[in-house]
Amino acid sequence: MKKSLLLIALLVVFVLTTSSAVSAQTTLIVFAAASLADAFEELADGFEAANPGVDVLFNFASSSDLAAQLAEGAPADVFASANNRQMSAAQDAGRIGSNRRTFVRNRLVLIVPSDNPAQITSLSDLANAGVQIVIAAPSVPVRDYTDTLLERLAADSTYGEAYRTAFMGNVVSEEQNVRQVAAKIALGEADAGIVYTSDVTPDISESVTAIPIPDELNTIASYPIAITDDTSSPELARAFVGYVLSNAGQSTLACWNFIPARLIPEAECTAGQ
């Protein structure tokens, strides 16, 4: 009898100890644009180290897909979008209030496979017959920025409307997010693609060549971040957003070739970034 009571007491202590450990572990769900994957994974390591017991769980996809998921009620604490249009869509759906902040910026770049089979050296070559181009699908933020680029090219007498027509005629694939565009070019499945500078990551840098787009034609992408109105961890969500906007967070983003939202000390990047 005494042994049974002792066993029960030990089980109770075990259950209480286990329950305490589980309750101390807090999960923060962050919906983030696909282009942020590498930078946010590293940023989360720093945030988790500063907040023991916190586990940051990411959902990376195109901002349009994420906004649609939020509109359907998917649970999330923070939304980091690659443009304001999709943040507004989440806001219109009643998931985001007026707490959005621009936390980073980006710019477009033309990429080609490292062997460059189509011999592309500038934007003008994208209108050549037979060139195979990959871009993002409509409503994906990088596609919005690409369309703005094409509008500027069409309005430039050096290129004109015929250039835009030829460019779109050469499009062979429209991908669901910008990382899929980058992957297709890295694999040599097309001749050229339009992505963000931050998408030329170490894992594909030897497989692609980046060709800068002139500043007068390029477009700057603004990334907003916001806390969902129904987050179950508002204080933790605010802390995460604060970390993204801190010197540490901004430095991490800068190391992954994003443009910080504000002036910060020069970032010390690890090898490979």
Side-chain angles (χ1 to χ4, degrees):
M1 180 67 175
K2 289 183 179 179
K3 289 184 178 179
S4 297
L5 291 174
L6 178 60
L7 178 60
I8 292 172
L10 289 173
L11 286 172
V12 169
V13 171
F14 174 78
V15 170
L16 290 174
T17 303
T18 304
S19 299
S20 178
V22 171
S23 63
Q25 184 70 31
T26 303
T27 299
L28 186 74
I29 302 174
V30 178
F31 278 30
S35 55
L36 292 164
D38 298 286
F40 263 32
E41 288 284 7
E42 181 179 332
L43 194 148
D45 290 340
F47 182 74
E48 289 172 351
N51 296 273
V54 173
D55 183 24
V56 181
L57 179 63
F58 287 112
N59 177 16
F60 293 116
S62 71
S63 298
S64 53
D65 286 345
L66 296 175
Q69 291 173 30
L70 288 170
E72 292 170 0
D77 301 299
V78 176
F79 179 31
S81 173
N83 71 358
N84 282 291
R85 175 184 171 189
Q86 299 306 329
M87 183 63 76
S88 293
Q91 189 171 19
D92 292 343
R95 294 299 304 279
I96 300 293
S98 58
N99 58 10
R100 71 170 74 179
R101 298 276 301 277
T102 295
F103 69 97
V104 82
R105 294 182 174 86
N106 216 337
R107 66 174 65 237
L108 299 180
V109 67
L110 169 63
I111 59 171
V112 300
S114 56
D115 59 351
N116 198 6
Q119 298 298 299
I120 294 169
T121 61
S122 67
L123 286 172
S124 60
D125 295 327
L126 299 181
N128 294 343
V131 172
Q132 296 184 324
I133 302 171
V134 177
I135 58 176
S139 79
V140 177
V142 73
R143 174 60 180 272
D144 290 346
Y145 296 123
T146 300
D147 287 344
T148 298
L149 168 65
L150 289 172
E151 288 174 8
R152 291 176 179 173
L153 289 164
D156 188 316
S157 59
T158 304
Y159 298 90
E161 187 60 46
Y163 173 89
R164 175 161 54 179
T165 300
F167 178 104
M168 291 305 298
N170 284 339
V171 172
V172 295
S173 180
E174 297 176 314
E175 302 301 316
Q176 289 304 305
N177 65 64
V178 68
R179 286 301 173 90
Q180 292 176 1
V181 176
K184 286 216 165 188
I185 303 306
L187 292 171
E189 295 181 5
D191 298 318
I194 302 291
V195 299
Y196 300 117
T197 55
S198 62
D199 292 308
V200 185
T201 54
D203 59 330
I204 70 165
S205 60
E206 294 184 0
S207 301
V208 304
T209 297
I211 300 173
I213 296 173
D215 288 343
E216 63 270 19
L217 296 171
N218 211 327
T219 179
I220 299 299
S222 293
Y223 286 52
I225 192 169
I227 301 166
T228 58
D229 279 356
D230 55 357
T231 174
S232 58
S233 304
E235 291 185 8
L236 189 60
R238 282 193 291 272
F240 180 81
V241 172
Y243 188 81
V244 171
L245 291 165
S246 72
N247 283 350
Q250 293 289 291
S251 293
T252 297
L253 289 160
C255 286
W256 286 99
N257 295 322
F258 288 90
I259 304 169
R262 59 184 179 78
L263 291 175
I264 58 170
E266 185 175 351
E268 295 183 6
C269 303
T270 58
Q273 290 186 356

